[in-house]
Amino acid sequence: MALVVVTTSPRVAPGLLTGQAWAALRSERVLTGSAGHPVLPYLEEAGIHVDVVTPDPAALAAEGSTGTVVWLAAQDGDEDLMRSVGHAAIAMADPPVIEVIPGSYDLPGARLLDLVQVMDRLRRECPWDRKQTHESLVPYLVEEAYEVLETIDQGDFTALREELGDLLLQVMFHSRLAQERGQESGFDIDDVATGIVEKLVRRHPHVFADTAVSGAGEVSDNWETIKSAERAAKGETDSVLSGVPMGQPALSLAAQMLRRAGRAGVPVSLADDLPDTVGARLFELVRLAQDGGLDPEAELRAVTREYRRRIEEWETES
């Protein structure tokens, strides 16, 4: 005597069900309130008859108390219906056992499929989203990246979840725009994911192959060696400056340049006798910070945060 509820995920191919779900669906009377449920054609193909009925919580609870019936839930889980069935069962003298069997369930990352669908719909139906270009989205990409940085600086890891979502939207948006360009220069979010997966596998042979490493320093050295080989394979010049984005903020640009130069064995003297300007003095401070094992960006940010705290304190006292 039981009401067996079989749930399915809209993010999993509808014909893929757990063995427990198939066993339940084959053994008892099956009902559903969803005439368009994507699993129905597969059940029909398997010889399983499903009655499409108007959901009636009291009737479901009553049938489950006199026999066993299987309810194929809608892909949203039929939560309101199940709550009403529970209330009806509690009121019964001999309530049924209610068992939930996951017919399919989300794997990690499955909700990204929802983001793909939402982005597709926004691009079709929202006037603002429809008119955006790679160029028009650049300010938002930069802004969202800085907002992620700010939540990390503040240790606000609750807000970090939301800000990472906003940043992820930018990746999804640019991928969707690229998809519309077609075959010549277009790509989609799957191509983006494929590219980074392949790169990570290539550059971590100590994880995905048989390379042995002694520690994190050797991992970094291998990364640079593999990256250099990749550039050579593409016919690109293997320069110390390759891949350094000159458009980044000047402090992080100077730090990256110095790191690259240090790894490549560039003579330290090249940074000597730069024009006597404020910029040269700032550059020297960056070099001193790195020589001391410090991140100049983080150091300046920490001091600026303290200065901001003092301003806020002064405003409160004034």
Side-chain angles (χ1 to χ4, degrees):
M1 310 294 183
L3 171 61
V4 179
V5 181
V6 175
T7 61
T8 59
S9 169
R11 302 167 199 91
V12 177
L16 298 176
L17 299 174
T18 62
Q20 190 180 11
W22 278 115
L25 291 164
R26 286 193 171 103
S27 63
E28 307 294 345
R29 183 183 177 211
V30 183
L31 307 176
T32 188
S34 305
H37 200 299
V39 169
L40 292 180
Y42 297 91
L43 299 184
E44 182 179 358
E45 184 179 335
I48 299 172
H49 177 71
V50 180
D51 290 319
V52 179
V53 300
T54 300
D56 184 332
L60 269 177
E63 186 165 351
S65 68
T66 58
T68 299
V69 62
V70 176
W71 180 261
L72 177 61
Q75 293 204 305
D76 63 3
D78 276 341
E79 290 186 15
D80 290 340
L81 173 63
M82 291 300 106
R83 193 173 295 110
S84 298
V85 169
H87 291 157
I90 290 172
M92 298 172 65
D94 186 19
V97 173
I98 300 177
E99 179 184 4
V100 178
I101 296 177
S104 57
Y105 47 87
D106 291 345
L107 295 174
R111 295 308 296 262
L112 292 175
L113 297 174
D114 292 346
L115 181 57
V116 172
Q117 292 180 344
V118 168
M119 189 70 252
D120 285 346
R121 185 167 181 180
L122 290 175
R123 191 65 177 161
R124 290 194 309 269
E125 300 179 20
C126 174
W128 187 90
D129 289 285
R130 208 165 43 229
K131 76 175 187 178
Q132 299 309 308
T133 64
H134 290 298
E135 292 75 16
S136 70
L137 289 174
V138 166
Y140 303 102
L141 177 61
V142 174
E143 178 183 330
E144 300 301 351
Y146 277 121
E147 288 182 2
V148 168
L149 176 59
E150 183 173 2
T151 60
I152 294 172
D153 280 346
Q154 294 174 347
D156 189 350
F157 297 114
T158 300
L160 178 60
R161 172 186 172 182
E162 180 179 350
E163 297 303 341
L164 286 173
D166 292 342
L167 187 57
L168 178 59
L169 171 61
Q170 295 302 309
V171 176
M172 185 66 247
F173 212 146
H174 282 279
S175 300
R176 183 64 176 80
L177 293 175
Q179 182 181 336
E180 296 171 11
R181 291 202 300 269
Q183 294 296 322
E184 185 173 346
S185 61
F187 55 84
D188 59 21
I189 191 65
D190 287 327
D191 297 319
V192 173
T194 296
I196 189 60
V197 167
E198 291 177 349
K199 178 186 290 186
L200 290 173
V201 170
R202 275 196 317 272
R203 296 189 185 179
H204 289 79
H206 55 288
V207 175
F208 300 101
D210 299 326
T211 300
V213 295
S214 58
E218 196 170 348
V219 171
S220 297
D221 291 342
N222 286 345
W223 179 285
E224 293 301 325
T225 300
I226 294 168
K227 186 160 65 171
S228 178
E230 289 171 355
R231 290 198 198 100
K234 294 177 184 177
E236 298 176 0
T237 302
D238 188 18
S239 166
V240 175
L241 306 178
S242 297
V244 176
M246 296 299 292
Q248 64 182 301
L251 192 62
S252 57
L253 173 61
Q256 186 177 12
M257 283 282 202
L258 286 165
R259 282 196 305 273
R260 289 289 191 90
R263 282 200 299 262
V266 172
V268 175
S269 59
L270 290 185
D272 295 339
D273 301 323
L274 292 171
D276 186 15
T277 63
V278 171
R281 293 195 288 276
L282 288 171
F283 189 86
E284 179 60 20
L285 286 174
V286 172
R287 184 168 68 161
L288 289 173
Q290 291 201 317
D291 288 346
L294 301 174
D295 178 353
E297 177 74 26
E299 293 298 312
L300 181 58
R301 191 174 296 279
V303 171
T304 305
R305 280 201 304 269
E306 171 61 19
Y307 182 54
R308 173 177 174 169
R309 186 194 66 76
R310 294 182 182 186
I311 292 175
E312 291 171 341
E313 189 177 87
W314 174 79
E315 288 179 326
T316 301
E317 294 172 352
S318 298

